[in-house]
Amino acid sequence: MAQAFAAFRSIGAYVPEKRLSNADLEKMVDTSDEWIVKRTGIKERRIAERDESTSDMGAKAARVAIERAGINADEIDLIVCATVTPDFFNMPATACLIAEKLGINNVQAFDISAACSGFVYALSLAKAFVESGMKRHVLIIGAEKFSSIVDYSDRTTCILFGDGAGAALISASENPDEGIVDVHASADGSYADFLVTPAPGSVNPCSHEAIEQGLCYVKMKGNETFKLAVKTLTNDVKSILAKNKIEASDIPHFIPHQANYRIIKAVGDALGMREDQVVLTVHKYGNTSAASIPMAINDLYECGGLHYGELMLLDTFGGGLTWASALLPFAPAQN
Ligand code: UT7
């Protein structure tokens, strides 16, 4: 069999209907629209319904990606779901529930936990599985119901996060020009306390105390995370571009993790990116963690801005701490 290249065939996303605006948050905590927009660029975020789970959103995004890829769901031979807000802590995996919702009952399916870097981590797995010849069609999903772990009385976190899902189909191709060029994924656990949900887990099992002390909510050292994010992302992106001998100015689509407009701007400026290269959704979705990058790719696609062969540069940073970057062409099947 000819050598397999991992082609990014399609993108899909799901965005919940309900909007949480800065004006809504002004009524909940001591904050203001002016502060939130100035410090983060966020104007509103989407919030899932009480009875809408991470796997519901992931399955909806996946259906769009599968339909756009033009394959049957039962041709998929691996499903990877990146999430830190799974349906259940910690089993069954959200990927198994998504498989069931897609009507696929005999497929390898598992979750990965890499916080906001999860989708690009999943992309690195898809690349490896496809290029090794082990899998032919890999469905990767980033899905988060962050509202399920946000403390809506903590103004330092509740203004940032939103819910949503994105999915992509990565398939084997014989055309080297269609293959994912490179993925870099890394972590440094010495910063684990920068972003953490302390319970439930083996350190703080489920208990009345854990709930009373608010340990089931996400905690973040925002300012420290911000500074490290700018430095790490800038270095990481410079390194993947240099390794692949590509100039930042030659990238048509820079699609960064949508955590904070100031981080995106600082990294973009350090790389010398023009405004028209940078994809922005942070103003309307906030930070949707693992879903942020595929939701942004989907926005670009649905606006008619993403075409066959165009190069995407992804970069992301999140809890762990983890970070990742990727260079890849958009490669829908050519019939
Ligand atoms: O996706 C995973 C990675 N996550 C990130 O990358 C998030 C990175 N961090 C950030 O985006 C920013 O650090 C925040 C948006 C979270 C905070 O912005 P900041 O410019 O770093 O503010 P700060 O934490 O240094 O706080 C500045 C001031 C403080 O008041 P004092 O001490 O100066 O009086 C805060 O108490 O702003 C205050 N503050 C707020 N004021 C109004 C913090 N949150 C709010 C708020 N509304 N929501």
Side-chain angles (χ1 to χ4, degrees), residues 30-31 35 39-40 116 155-156 159-160 195 220 222-223 225-226 257 259-260 262-263 287 317-318:
D30 180 15
T31 192
W35 191 96
R39 300 282 183 134
T40 72
C116 305
R155 69 176 182 174
T156 67
I159 57 146
L160 297 171
L195 256 161
M220 182 174 69
N223 197 266
T225 307
F226 183 103
H257 170 48
N260 184 321
R262 284 159 59 219
I263 297 178
N287 181 349
F317 186 90

Side-chain angles (χ1 to χ4, degrees), residues 231-246:
K231 198 170 89 188
T232 309
L233 287 173
T234 305
N235 291 340
D236 198 44
V237 174
K238 279 185 178 165
S239 132
I240 198 169
L241 288 173
K243 188 177 151 211
N244 293 284
K245 300 186 174 51
I246 295 174

